[in-house]
Amino acid sequence: MKDVLLIKYGELALKGENRSFFENTLVKNIKYALKDFDGVKVEKTHGRIYVECEKDVEEAIERLKKVFGIVGITRAKEADLDLEEIFKAAVDLMKSHQGKTFKVETKRPNKAFPYNSMEVSRRVGAAVLKNVKNMKVDVHNPDVLLNVEIREKAFLYAGVIEGAGGLPLGTNGKATVLLSGGIDSPVAAWMMMKRGVEVEAVYFHSPPYTSDRAKEKVVDLCKVLSQYGRGMRLHVVHFTDLQLEIYEKCPARLTTIIMRRMMMKIAEKIAQQNGSLALITGESLGQVASQTIESLYVTNSSVSLPVFRPLIGMDKREIIDIAQKIGTYEISIRPYEDCCTIFVPKHPATKPKLEKVLEAEEKMDYQKFIDNFEEEVIEI
């Protein structure tokens, strides 16, 4: 008998011929999350993944809770396929639940085991009643549900720790997120990562109008996001010269939307260089002037790559709740402004016309900035 972590996954089990690809990617991501742990062993069987961890089990669980594709983690007892060994594991597990009601549920994927599920549950329940003090059976509303799984070994557990869910990172290609220091874009990146998308980030930095503290904030946001993946690459684009060109030569009401279009063009160029097939933004419909449906249409016309906006139908409270859950909120509210908030006009256009925007852009030579922008690449 030994202790293991039993890893459960949800929609991966519904995959057809590609199922092994998703499972193998999840195993790889689990090994990456625990790469600096000694004595870790990860095994995959049909429908389950098992992790043996000799020490620092609680820390291992905390890391595994951030691995996309895992819906549940439980501390389990592994026993040989022998009833007496299964009884010992059940008694040992349930001693920490003395004085409570319980129910035994058995799954038997291994049909070669000579006892059916109901018989195993009945016998395990009897062993617990006999050997654990003050335990009672309640099949309708038990305090503790003792699960027994009969596979190549027997696995017993009670209680499941919730995982991040979603799909394993790396199973759905790569995209590039326009990451500001605000609340929304880190949440958008996290939501796409949850769907299996690898993410690189682009941040637009405008010194001396934005400080190094603003850049540090974005670096810290990437560090949080990287805990859910396998590291992250951040492209810091120096945007001051192009931003000043926009504000000197374009109508004030259109500067926000034109700035946004220039960011998209540069982000698309970086995306194409790093193998990304889409852009990600943190826009939510109607939240600010650049996020009206008319503004989003004009913004989209600046690039050819698809633009994913996972927050598009969410309100601010919903976005903040996710930011707090994933650990980005406290960083995002640090009082260091990004380049989008520094140069906001008093009365930005909320229903810009594409032809008017294109006409305004002709007044500046923006292509030279897009072709020759400076960037700093930070590996996180």
Side-chain angles (χ1 to χ4, degrees):
M1 182 174 63
K2 61 183 177 182
D3 294 330
V4 298
L5 297 178
L6 178 62
I7 307 299
K8 296 188 172 187
Y9 46 89
E11 60 186 295
L12 272 68
L14 302 177
K15 301 298 179 183
E17 295 181 359
N18 291 328
R19 176 170 173 166
S20 62
F21 165 69
F22 285 85
E23 291 176 334
N24 291 338
T25 303
L26 179 56
V27 168
K28 181 174 70 173
N29 293 348
I30 289 171
K31 289 179 178 179
Y32 182 90
L34 303 178
K35 64 182 185 299
D36 54 343
F37 280 61
D38 293 329
V40 169
K41 185 179 179 182
V42 182
E43 291 188 15
K44 181 189 77 168
T45 63
H46 184 72
R48 289 288 185 267
I49 295 171
Y50 311 103
V51 178
E52 291 184 40
C53 191
E54 294 180 356
K55 55 184 180 180
D56 299 323
V57 177
E58 293 300 326
E59 173 62 22
I61 291 172
E62 287 303 309
R63 294 197 189 183
L64 292 173
K65 285 164 63 176
K66 294 181 179 180
V67 176
F68 291 121
I70 296 176
V71 299
I73 308 156
T74 186
R75 303 181 75 149
K77 298 287 184 181
E78 178 186 316
D80 291 334
L81 292 180
D82 174 84
L83 275 182
E84 291 301 322
E85 291 300 312
I86 293 172
F87 295 161
K88 289 178 184 177
V91 169
D92 189 52
L93 182 63
M94 295 300 286
K95 281 183 177 178
S96 61
H97 299 287
Q98 291 184 103
K100 295 183 178 181
T101 60
F102 77 103
K103 175 185 177 181
V104 182
E105 283 191 356
T106 301
K107 293 181 180 179
R108 189 177 63 114
N110 184 354
K111 302 304 181 185
F113 192 67
Y115 302 94
N116 64 32
S117 296
M118 291 185 64
E119 183 70 7
V120 172
S121 294
R122 186 181 67 79
R123 293 188 176 218
V124 169
V128 171
L129 287 171
K130 180 180 179 181
N131 294 284
V132 183
K133 293 181 180 179
N134 302 319
M135 296 295 289
K136 294 182 179 180
V137 173
D138 184 345
V139 297
H140 300 294
N141 189 29
D143 297 324
V144 182
L145 179 61
L146 173 57
N147 292 276
V148 182
E149 295 188 6
I150 306 298
R151 297 177 180 272
E152 70 287 351
K153 296 278 189 175
F155 297 91
L156 297 87
Y157 59 93
V160 179
I161 301 163
E162 185 179 0
L167 296 173
L169 195 74
T171 56
N172 258 329
K174 181 190 283 190
T176 295
V177 60
L178 283 76
L179 191 67
S180 71
I183 297 169
D184 301 341
S185 55
V187 174
W190 181 87
M191 290 181 70
M192 293 307 300
M193 292 169 70
K194 186 176 180 179
R195 299 311 301 162
V197 178
E198 287 190 79
V199 170
E200 291 202 11
V202 178
Y203 166 65
F204 293 90
H205 191 48
S206 295
Y209 303 100
T210 52
S211 69
D212 284 342
R213 293 287 185 89
K215 183 174 77 171
E216 290 171 9
K217 181 166 74 165
V218 174
V219 170
D220 288 344
L221 288 170
C222 287
K223 288 178 179 178
V224 173
L225 291 173
S226 70
Q227 295 173 11
Y228 294 88
R230 301 192 294 264
M232 179 174 283
R233 181 179 296 155
L234 171 63
H235 302 260
V236 179
V237 174
H238 297 268
F239 197 56
T240 307
D241 291 342
L242 180 50
Q243 200 162 19
L244 291 175
E245 178 88 354
I246 294 168
Y247 281 86
E248 288 173 3
K249 296 185 178 179
C250 298
R253 295 184 72 250
L254 297 178
T255 52
T256 297
I257 190 68
I258 292 174
M259 179 185 68
R260 192 69 180 165
R261 282 169 54 87
M262 296 301 113
M263 289 179 171
M264 296 290 279
K265 288 178 180 291
I266 293 172
E268 180 178 55
K269 185 174 180 180
I270 292 172
Q272 291 169 338
Q273 291 171 348
N274 68 37
S276 289
L277 298 178
L279 300 176
I280 304 167
T281 75
E283 291 158 315
S284 172
L285 188 62
Q287 187 169 213
V288 295
S290 65
Q291 297 176 20
T292 64
I293 197 165
E294 293 87 355
S295 295
L296 296 178
Y297 167 75
V298 173
T299 300
N300 278 9
S301 69
S302 64
V303 295
S304 59
L305 286 179
V307 182
F308 295 150
R309 296 181 171 93
L311 313 185
I312 196 68
M314 300 175 69
D315 62 34
K316 199 66 175 184
R317 183 67 258 172
E318 292 172 308
I319 299 168
I320 288 173
D321 287 345
I322 297 175
Q324 291 173 327
K325 171 186 172 182
I326 67 177
T328 58
Y329 179 74
E330 294 299 329
I331 299 172
S332 293
I333 62 173
R334 292 177 190 169
Y336 309 119
E337 295 179 304
D338 61 37
C339 63
C340 294
T341 56
I342 295 293
F343 292 97
V344 175
K346 284 186 177 181
H347 303 289
T350 58
K351 296 183 178 181
K353 300 294 185 183
L354 180 57
E355 60 271 19
K356 294 292 184 183
V357 171
L358 294 174
E359 182 181 315
E361 289 177 352
E362 289 178 359
K363 296 178 181 179
M364 59 177 186
D365 185 11
Y366 64 82
Q367 195 61 46
K368 69 178 182 181
F369 293 99
I370 294 173
D371 291 339
N372 301 289
F373 67 86
E374 295 181 25
E375 68 169 322
E376 173 191 1
V377 180
I378 302 173
E379 298 285 348
I380 295 171

